[in-house]
Amino acid sequence: MELSLAGQVAIVTGGSRGIGREIALGLARAGADVVPAARSRDKLQEVVAEIEALGRRSLLIPTDVSDGEAIKDLFQQTKDELGVPQILVNNAGISPHYKSTHKVSDAEWDQVINVNLRAVFLASREMANYLIAAEIPGSIINVGSVGSTVALPRLAAYCAAKGGLLQLTKVCAIDWVKYGIRVNAVAPGFVITDMTTGMRANDRLHQNLIDHTPLGRLAEPEELVGPVVFLASGAASYITGALLAVDGGWTAL
Ligand SMILES: NC(=O)c1ccc[n+]([C@@H]2O[C@H](COP(=O)([O-])OP(=O)(O)OC[C@H]3O[C@@H](n4cnc5c(N)ncnc54)[C@H](OP(=O)(O)O)[C@@H]3O)[C@@H](O)[C@H]2O)c1
């Protein structure tokens, strides 16, 4: 069993805060050089400094994943300065709208699909092309949700994107198996981050989330680190196309 990621280069989208920040630091602790990618330069700078304080290399590359050219630049700069990335965590995600499906506008739908699904395709394709050209193996981990498999009311675009992410995970896993690229997904339940601030501020909704979770609490963002490091590592060498639920039992009910 090999959990060390020493000598590998990782990109974590949405690595500036929340779950992505913890994953970026967790991959660095496991030995990887890590490039966290998100829009806010200031927050990214803090994470880059934390990664470097762990003795790993990092780069400051502010990136909007809804911009395909920005994703290309992210991979090109990473390859030029650190080497071909072998680990990609597609974690950047948004959930800005909470409304019944018939009230969702075209723009709201596109906004969520672009960040939560289209960007996963764009970044995964970029990564695969670099790995195939270099003839080296790699591991992609997509951050899904309980909404990848069950309905979350008033979150149609979010669930469509996260369900699509799961299918994309499986097809990429099969398409790229011959190149040694494993592709898996993790599906968090409800996690204490900025994304759930609004839900947690509503006492009734917060209690509903707790009551619906067999473990009886929301997750801390660092509880996603172990599953992602495991899937990135040699310890998961026979796992591809899988969805690992990290949801406190939510989808077991
Ligand atoms: N929190 C939960 O309960 C929960 C549950 C299930 C799944 N998830 C999933 O876990 C992932 C992380 O969520 P989180 O809770 O950590 O959210 P968060 O605290 O709101 O952080 C979101 C991250 O994504 C980045 N981001 C947003 N839009 C971006 C864009 N266009 N380009 C690049 N980066 C962008 C943000 O940085 P900038 O704003 O600086 O760009 C930030 O780093 C998401 O995919 C989410 O769907 C979360």
Side-chain angles (χ1 to χ4, degrees):
M1 189 177 74
E2 180 54 88
L3 282 165
S4 169
L5 304 176
Q8 298 197 47
V9 175
I11 290 176
V12 181
T13 69
S16 60
R17 55 190 165 89
I19 295 169
R21 174 182 176 278
E22 296 303 324
I23 289 172
L25 295 174
L27 293 173
R29 273 187 219 103
D33 295 326
V34 184
V35 179
R39 294 165 301 177
S40 95
R41 172 175 286 272
D42 291 354
K43 290 233 181 302
L44 271 186
Q45 179 64 70
E46 288 170 22
V47 181
V48 166
E50 287 180 89
I51 292 166
E52 289 174 343
L54 290 165
R56 310 290 170 230
R57 297 181 301 166
S58 188
L59 297 173
L60 177 64
I61 310 177
T63 307
D64 182 342
V65 296
S66 63
D67 174 354
E69 288 307 311
I71 289 178
K72 282 199 166 79
D73 289 348
L74 168 67
F75 278 82
Q76 186 69 55
Q77 277 191 59
T78 302
K79 184 205 164 214
D80 290 349
E81 295 187 39
L82 300 181
V84 174
Q86 284 183 273
I87 299 165
L88 167 64
V89 184
N90 282 307
N91 163 82
I94 55 171
S95 185
H97 314 296
Y98 185 68
K99 54 176 74 169
S100 190
T101 308
H102 62 288
K103 295 184 178 160
V104 175
S105 72
D106 295 10
E108 289 167 342
W109 176 269
D110 289 346
Q111 179 192 12
V112 173
I113 297 294
N114 280 343
V115 176
N116 293 8
L117 180 58
R118 183 172 179 272
V120 177
F121 158 65
L122 295 177
S124 300
R125 183 181 64 183
E126 203 65 14
M127 169 91 163
N129 279 319
Y130 277 108
L131 290 172
I132 292 166
E135 297 186 4
I136 54 175
S139 174
I140 298 174
I141 297 110
N142 296 326
V143 178
S145 157
V146 291
S148 293
T149 52
V150 300
L152 299 174
R154 296 171 176 264
L155 289 169
Y158 185 82
C159 289
K162 293 297 185 180
L165 174 148
L166 175 56
Q167 281 296 85
L168 179 63
T169 300
K170 293 180 188 178
V171 176
C172 290
I174 303 308
D175 279 353
W176 298 335
V177 74
K178 59 176 172 288
Y179 302 111
I181 304 169
R182 295 183 299 102
V183 189
N184 293 290
V186 292
F190 288 83
V191 186
I192 301 168
T193 67
D194 295 345
M195 186 178 277
T196 55
T197 301
M199 291 179 187
R200 289 182 287 110
N202 177 327
D203 287 344
R204 199 166 55 87
L205 189 50
H206 190 200
Q207 195 56 50
N208 277 347
L209 295 178
I210 292 169
D211 292 345
H212 198 86
T213 307
L215 273 180
R217 62 177 176 83
L218 276 61
E220 298 291 340
E222 51 268 31
E223 293 186 277
L224 273 300
V225 173
V228 170
V229 169
F230 163 66
L231 287 172
S233 76
S237 56
Y238 201 61
I239 302 178
T240 197
L243 176 73
L244 176 52
V246 189
D247 63 6
W250 181 287
T251 50
L253 271 178

